[in-house]
Amino acid sequence: MMVVSKADSLYTIPMSTNAHPQPAAISLPDIPALCANAREAALLTTEGEIKILSHEEAAHTIEGQSVLVCHAPYTRARLNFGDFYHFDVLELFAFTHPATFCVPTPHGVSKALGLTPPESFEDSPLALIQITRALLQDLQKDPFTDTANAADIASVMGQQGKGWPWTDFIFAALGQTYDPQLPVNGKTAMNIWRHLPEWAEEAPPPPPSHYGVSHEEIDERLAQLRGHGAEERPAQMQYAHTIGEAFAPLHDENKPHIVLAEAGTGTGKTLGYLAPASVWAEKNDGAVWISTYTKNLQRQINSELDRLYPTPEVKEAHVAVRKGRENYLCLLNLEDTAAAAALSRNPQHAIGAGIMARWAAATKDGDLSGADYPGWLTGLLGFHTSQGLADKRGECIYSACDHYHKCFVERSIRKAKHARIVIANHALAMISSALAGPGEEMPQRYIFDEGHHLFDAADSAFSAHLSAIETRDLRRWILGGEGGKRTSRARGLVKRAEDLAAGDTEAEAMLQRIMHEATCLTADGWTRRLKDSLPSGPTESFLHLVYKQTYARSPDRDGAYSLETPAHPLENDVLEAARALKKALKDLQKPMAGLARIFTKKLVEDEGHMDSDTRNRLDAVATALERRATMMLQAWIGMLDSLEHGETPDAFTDWLAIERVDGRAIDVGLYRHWINPIQPFAEAIKPHLHGMAITSATLNDTARAGARLLNPNTTELTLPSPFDYAKQTKVIIINDVNKNSLDQVAGATRALFEASGGGALGLFTAISRLRAVHGRIAQKLEENHIPLYAQHIDEMDSGTLVDIFREDERSCLLGTDAMRDGVDVPGNALRLVLFDRTPWPRPTILHKARREEFGGRQYDEALTRLKLKQAFGRLIRAHDDKGVFVMLDSALPSRLHDAFPPETEIIKCGLGEACAVIRGVIGYTEVRNDHLFL
């Protein structure tokens, strides 16, 4: 233990001498404040003494007492300590400033509140005191008093003195006294929905006109988007003109205009395609869908449109962000959670309900993956009471819901129908096109940014999984909560359709038959029953035998990763179970399709007697039934039929798998994927399509092949990055580190991170390797004032880890190579990217089938080259950026060197020389007193 300093008057607030009426005095909790890093903990005692403790000493010190922290799950993980009594300033921040972003560290919260951030780790506990004071003072000026009353909600969260510890202090700040004996009603206290605006139906928009866009119009719009005084960028203009060809009038319904535009980082792609897209939308009074793969790019596009629509009301009318229903807060779920909050035995349920009620009152659009939802909130509250409040299983009851006319999802859908620019994602665009009927109105013009992800997005959208999780979710969709579980929000088909079928004998019979036949599906508790070899029903019986066969035939049974085996040949008992399950699924499919037809017939035969809400419900339920009967169940039946006949159709590959996380089985089933998933996507979207642009900094061959399925005569453009890579960066391949020795990899990683003075992103091809390296280097880096954060280790989502990494130029971040697409860190905060070894694709059954289809070794190398390009592209984002890309694998083939720009110097050398090169490129000299010197 080390005592650093002593601070005075931390827990008392001096009274003001101002003669005017003053707000209530702020009362602070008289408890220690604690911050932890990878090496040690800093504790501020109630006497004002700052102590530097080991993790073990800190855990022992706080045991049995309350402590003030920032991000309790993260602190708990750092100390390797069980749950402890805590006052979390992040919970108070989320309550006081709902729908407001901050980086979830003492430094980040201080900046968000306009306070002076702590200059060192030792200063961080004192910052927590200052943050607490500021938040309670801000609550005295709460703008949500009339819509989400802080005292009313906090009283429910307090759970009669046994719940949220901040309740007493919130009441005191508001000049009130909290009485834990008073009864509370969660539903009444958190009734924020009564203040939400209602959406209104509008007449359907007319079809768009068919005027093209000229180069002059594009140039004028580009100048407007770039802003006054910005210099012209010839490459950007060329790019925008080429994208404009996707908006030419359609001449042949079988040949939509397709543009493939690969433009290197720094070209200005976003403004380059927004210019022709916005001009076309205005000229033709139509909508352009701009689809992305990552949330970061969606937010970037939305912010770039502020220049085109500087007036918020105008932008609100012309720009919409569209995501799937599962991304939005369900008000009925929130109501159910609020109603149960005060009675729950788990205080965390009431805390989550209260904070989410405050968020719902403040959010602009209810988007749980949007800009005004802090990603760290899910880690604090738990999934069930945060993102789990969305309609994850398609259980919406539509107009039967009391909140239907205030629903965030319904408002988003209607807004998108009348917007000029719709910012969507690949998954929604693909699912929408797959579900669209022949005469249904669909977007005619698309721009797919991050086009190198089209293949993966289509692979997800058009695959079929006959697994425990998928079949359990269908059972819940039909039967709702079973077994008398009061905590379940699952509403079931009866809740959604019973009144629609009432009075129709055939429909009522069909509904009852569906409920009966659905018992063939996997039920809750399946993991325990499969483990005990006691499956219940035909689905679980089949999956139990699939588990046994997969486990028996897999070579790495004792490893941590998922297991798989080919679907053919099968043992006889598996075949018999497959036949029984196929019959059960057909028995379920028939009444589902029958009820869908009855409801559709009601709509067709209606002579204007039904109100529009009832018609909408009938249509929604009929569509949902038909989709599950003709797509989901039919796909499963087809997969089982293939098992029975011993052969998979040529376009697909089938396999059996046990999905595992850290060696624990989380799912088991039969899986089917298209070998080329772009094929069904092209077939689905082509009937509606007039023009499409696919763009990325690194377009892959599958994107090009997919485009040619839509029109063999595509327009293609390739533009290099405008950066001077010869001066700004180098690629280093280290040749004296054994990539298979985790001790050597860890030592090299630490040396390289210290050479760059932090600002490094380490990408790993396996979670186990990441964890092993993190455990070896985290404390030693902290000793050199370099904080280390890691995906899969720190109790935060990936987006939050990137936010922390971006803010602190000294920090380093470890992640799997999938993180490379979510990292957008311009400037000096990212100056080193490291790969632990060549990111070859995993040799799965699916990959084997695609490898045979797409060219063998060339396919492997194309995928690997794409990963290298994407990772390298994170490094240099502006003309004054400098950075180094390091590969710890000396076996990187020279034929993959073309993943890097041709002018980039590639150096093969030892670790010591690499560290010297990094210091030379970055200009780093040392870290002293927590500050970088460059």
Side-chain angles (χ1 to χ4, degrees):
M1 181 187 78
M2 179 174 63
V3 177
V4 178
S5 63
K6 198 161 185 175
D8 297 324
S9 303
L10 297 177
Y11 298 94
T12 58
I13 306 298
M15 296 298 293
S16 172
T17 58
N18 195 315
H20 296 290
Q22 294 297 307
I26 298 298
S27 174
L28 301 181
D30 189 12
I31 57 176
L34 176 74
C35 293
N37 62 25
R39 184 167 60 103
E40 57 198 7
L43 182 75
L44 176 63
T45 70
T46 54
E47 289 79 27
E49 189 175 56
I50 299 176
K51 298 179 179 180
I52 302 301
L53 308 171
S54 69
H55 288 166
E56 294 78 11
E57 290 173 329
H60 177 74
T61 301
I62 67 173
E63 187 172 4
Q65 66 172 312
S66 296
V67 63
L68 186 66
V69 298
C70 181
H71 205 301
Y74 174 81
T75 306
R76 188 184 304 120
R78 285 288 169 124
L79 297 181
N80 193 25
F81 187 52
D83 204 3
F84 57 91
Y85 302 111
H86 61 267
F87 287 68
D88 196 332
V89 297
L90 277 182
E91 290 180 0
L92 186 59
F93 181 92
F95 185 89
T96 305
H97 295 289
T100 301
F101 170 78
C102 77
V103 174
T105 62
H107 190 278
V109 181
S110 296
K111 286 182 64 176
L113 294 175
L115 304 174
T116 302
E119 293 186 1
S120 67
F121 175 63
E122 291 80 7
D123 294 333
S124 296
L126 179 58
L128 299 187
I129 306 295
Q130 296 166 339
I131 287 168
T132 302
R133 179 183 298 128
L135 288 171
L136 291 172
Q137 289 171 338
D138 288 351
L139 200 57
Q140 295 176 331
K141 306 182 288 285
D142 184 22
F144 305 105
T145 299
D146 296 329
T147 56
N149 186 272
D152 290 346
I153 293 176
S155 66
V156 180
M157 298 167 71
Q159 280 199 319
Q160 297 182 317
K162 302 175 183 177
W164 201 36
W166 288 114
T167 296
D168 275 310
F169 300 93
I170 287 172
F171 268 75
L174 297 175
Q176 303 177 38
T177 301
Y178 174 54
D179 184 354
Q181 302 305 317
L182 290 178
V184 293
N185 185 314
K187 185 174 177 179
T188 302
M190 300 181 190
N191 186 9
I192 58 91
W193 39 85
R194 68 187 185 275
H195 300 290
L196 295 177
E198 293 191 359
W199 50 260
E201 291 284 7
E202 297 182 49
S209 304
H210 301 281
Y211 298 103
V213 293
S214 67
H215 288 185
E216 293 75 18
E217 290 172 317
I218 293 172
D219 293 344
E220 183 179 345
R221 181 56 52 84
L222 258 182
Q224 181 182 357
L225 289 168
R226 282 196 297 253
H228 179 71
E231 66 173 310
E232 290 188 356
R233 300 160 72 176
Q236 186 184 53
M237 294 174 67
Q238 181 185 359
Y239 172 87
H241 294 168
T242 304
I243 295 291
E245 296 184 29
F247 296 98
L250 185 65
H251 302 299
D252 185 336
E253 64 176 343
N254 294 313
K255 295 180 180 179
H257 300 291
I258 307 297
V259 173
L260 282 164
E262 180 176 314
T265 305
T267 305
K269 292 188 296 295
T270 304
L271 298 186
Y273 59 65
L274 283 178
S278 59
V279 170
W280 183 90
E282 288 180 13
K283 285 181 70 173
N284 296 284
D285 197 19
V288 178
W289 273 45
I290 299 175
S291 179
T292 74
Y293 193 71
T294 61
K295 294 185 295 185
N296 283 339
L297 186 54
Q298 275 195 328
R299 295 172 186 175
Q300 178 187 331
I301 295 168
N302 198 14
S303 64
E304 296 282 12
L305 287 167
D306 289 342
R307 299 181 188 179
L308 182 60
Y309 303 113
T311 305
E313 293 78 14
V314 176
K315 184 181 179 183
E316 182 71 15
H318 294 314
V319 178
V321 177
R322 272 289 281 124
K323 299 179 182 179
R325 180 175 294 273
E326 67 280 359
N327 289 282
Y328 295 91
L329 175 73
C330 170
L331 292 172
L332 186 55
N333 282 345
L334 178 62
E335 180 183 1
D336 290 347
T337 301
L343 303 176
S344 174
R345 294 181 180 179
N346 184 351
Q348 196 62 33
H349 291 165
I351 295 170
I355 290 176
M356 289 305 297
R358 293 274 294 176
W359 179 83
T363 178
K364 176 184 175 183
D365 52 16
D367 183 356
L368 292 166
S369 61
D372 65 5
Y373 180 83
W376 45 261
L377 199 52
T378 301
L380 284 189
L381 306 182
F383 180 84
H384 185 72
T385 51
S386 56
Q387 289 187 325
L389 295 177
D391 177 18
K392 296 291 184 182
R393 296 190 295 268
E395 296 174 331
C396 182
I397 58 176
Y398 299 96
S399 61
C401 175
D402 292 338
H403 310 301
Y404 180 65
H405 290 282
K406 297 183 177 183
C407 175
F408 290 119
V409 178
E410 296 297 330
R411 184 184 299 134
S412 168
I413 292 171
R414 283 156 180 79
K415 182 181 177 184
K417 288 181 179 179
H418 297 271
R420 291 175 178 171
I421 302 293
V422 179
I423 306 168
N425 56 46
H426 293 353
L428 179 63
M430 290 181 175
I431 294 296
S432 299
S433 60
L435 298 179
E440 188 172 339
E441 287 293 327
M442 289 289 293
Q444 299 174 352
R445 310 280 175 168
Y446 291 87
I447 294 172
F448 284 95
D449 200 348
E450 299 177 306
H452 58 285
H453 282 300
L454 273 181
F455 191 92
D456 292 336
D459 189 33
S460 177
F462 293 95
S463 60
H465 296 174
L466 175 50
S467 73
I469 289 178
E470 292 290 325
T471 52
R472 181 203 61 189
D473 282 352
L474 180 58
R475 180 178 178 131
R476 281 181 179 173
W477 185 84
I478 295 172
L479 297 178
E482 297 180 84
K485 292 183 179 179
R486 293 193 302 172
T487 58
S488 175
R489 295 193 300 264
R491 283 175 273 277
L493 186 60
V494 168
K495 178 75 172 177
R496 295 190 294 277
E498 189 174 36
D499 60 322
L500 299 175
D504 186 323
T505 304
E506 185 182 9
E508 290 176 335
M510 288 285 187
L511 181 58
Q512 289 306 311
R513 187 176 167 195
I514 292 170
M515 306 302 287
H516 172 72
E517 298 295 348
T519 58
C520 76
L521 299 169
T522 305
D524 287 340
W526 66 269
T527 52
R528 182 183 65 256
R529 289 191 295 276
L530 264 59
K531 182 180 179 180
D532 295 340
S533 297
L534 296 171
S536 174
T539 306
E540 290 186 18
S541 297
F542 170 73
L543 294 174
H544 176 245
L545 294 171
V546 166
Y547 187 100
K548 286 181 62 178
Q549 177 162 316
T550 304
Y551 193 82
R553 295 182 179 182
S554 297
D556 191 24
R557 292 190 290 267
D558 298 325
Y561 299 105
S562 298
L563 307 178
E564 61 178 29
T565 189
H568 309 288
L570 287 180
E571 299 294 335
N572 288 334
D573 56 351
V574 184
L575 281 173
E576 289 301 319
R579 292 189 186 100
L581 177 56
K582 184 173 76 169
K583 179 183 181 303
L585 294 180
K586 284 185 174 181
D587 289 343
L588 173 60
Q589 181 189 39
K590 188 174 181 179
M592 288 178 68
L595 186 58
R597 285 193 296 270
I598 291 171
F599 283 170
T600 302
K601 184 179 179 182
K602 285 178 179 286
L603 288 169
V604 172
E605 295 179 350
D606 176 42
E607 297 180 350
H609 301 300
M610 279 191 282
D611 59 82
S612 59
D613 283 349
T614 302
R615 289 187 59 85
N616 287 337
R617 280 186 64 206
L618 276 169
D619 182 56
V621 174
T623 300
L625 283 165
E626 183 179 10
R627 184 175 71 191
R628 285 166 173 80
T630 62
M631 295 180 68
M632 179 182 285
L633 286 173
Q634 189 56 47
W636 292 348
I637 291 167
M639 293 160 68
L640 294 169
D641 193 58
S642 294
L643 291 186
E644 190 174 350
H645 290 88
E647 187 176 10
T648 300
D650 291 341
F652 302 99
T653 184
D654 293 347
W655 71 96
L656 311 178
I658 303 170
E659 299 291 330
R660 301 199 299 189
V661 173
D662 294 334
R664 181 176 62 88
I666 60 169
D667 202 7
V668 56
L670 169 63
Y671 297 79
R672 167 171 287 182
H673 283 233
W674 286 78
I675 294 176
N676 181 4
I678 295 292
Q679 180 181 335
F681 168 59
E683 292 172 355
I685 201 169
K686 189 171 183 178
H688 314 281
L689 189 64
H690 286 203
M692 174 192 293
I694 303 174
T695 186
S696 172
T698 51
L699 279 179
N700 52 16
D701 292 338
T702 55
R704 292 185 168 88
R708 295 184 185 111
L709 288 173
L710 295 166
N711 186 345
N713 300 316
T714 60
T715 299
E716 297 198 31
L717 173 71
T718 301
L719 292 171
S721 289
F723 302 131
D724 188 346
Y725 288 111
K727 291 184 178 179
Q728 292 180 256
T729 186
K730 296 183 188 300
V731 172
I732 300 176
I733 302 171
I734 294 180
N735 57 20
D736 62 353
V737 171
N738 182 354
K739 66 184 179 184
N740 297 315
S741 167
L742 290 175
D743 286 332
Q744 289 192 38
V745 171
T749 301
R750 176 193 167 196
L752 294 164
F753 284 8
E754 290 177 349
S756 66
L761 171 66
L763 298 174
F764 286 78
T765 52
I767 297 173
S768 59
R769 290 171 63 86
L770 180 154
R771 286 178 169 157
V773 169
H774 178 273
R776 288 166 168 83
I777 70 174
Q779 293 190 20
K780 294 176 181 178
L781 286 175
E782 288 279 7
E783 291 174 4
N784 287 311
H785 308 287
I786 298 176
L788 180 66
Y789 301 93
Q791 187 185 16
H792 305 293
I793 293 176
D794 294 319
E795 295 290 324
M796 298 183 190
D797 64 288
S798 299
T800 297
L801 289 171
V802 172
D803 290 334
I804 296 173
F805 175 61
R806 184 187 296 112
E807 183 186 71
D808 186 354
E809 291 189 3
R810 305 162 301 174
S811 66
C812 295
L813 177 61
L814 305 181
T816 54
D817 68 328
M819 185 178 267
R820 68 188 180 274
D821 292 308
V823 176
D824 184 16
V825 185
N828 199 49
L830 178 58
R831 45 194 183 272
L832 175 71
V833 172
L834 176 148
F835 249 121
D836 72 318
R837 57 184 177 183
T838 306
W840 296 111
R842 285 186 60 216
T844 63
I845 292 172
L846 178 59
H847 175 72
K848 178 182 178 182
R850 287 175 176 164
R851 191 178 190 274
E852 294 173 357
E853 177 74 14
F854 296 127
R857 191 186 82 176
Q858 287 76 17
Y859 179 63
D860 286 345
E861 293 179 357
L863 295 179
T864 305
R865 189 176 289 110
L866 178 67
K867 291 182 179 181
L868 295 172
K869 283 184 175 182
Q870 283 293 311
F872 181 85
R874 303 298 95 193
L875 193 58
I876 305 299
R877 313 291 289 175
H879 288 280
D880 56 353
D881 281 355
K882 290 185 178 181
V884 179
F885 183 95
V886 178
M887 172 61 73
L888 289 179
D889 186 353
S890 62
L892 177 72
S894 58
R895 60 185 179 273
L896 293 182
H897 290 185
D898 61 355
F900 311 110
E903 66 271 28
T904 304
E905 182 181 5
I906 299 177
I907 304 170
K908 293 186 176 182
C909 64
L911 179 61
E913 183 180 345
C915 291
V917 171
I918 290 169
R919 293 189 187 96
V921 172
I922 295 173
Y924 158 73
T925 56
E926 62 177 329
V927 174
R928 188 169 66 249
N929 296 330
D930 254 9
H931 293 281
L932 268 179
F933 289 83
L934 301 175

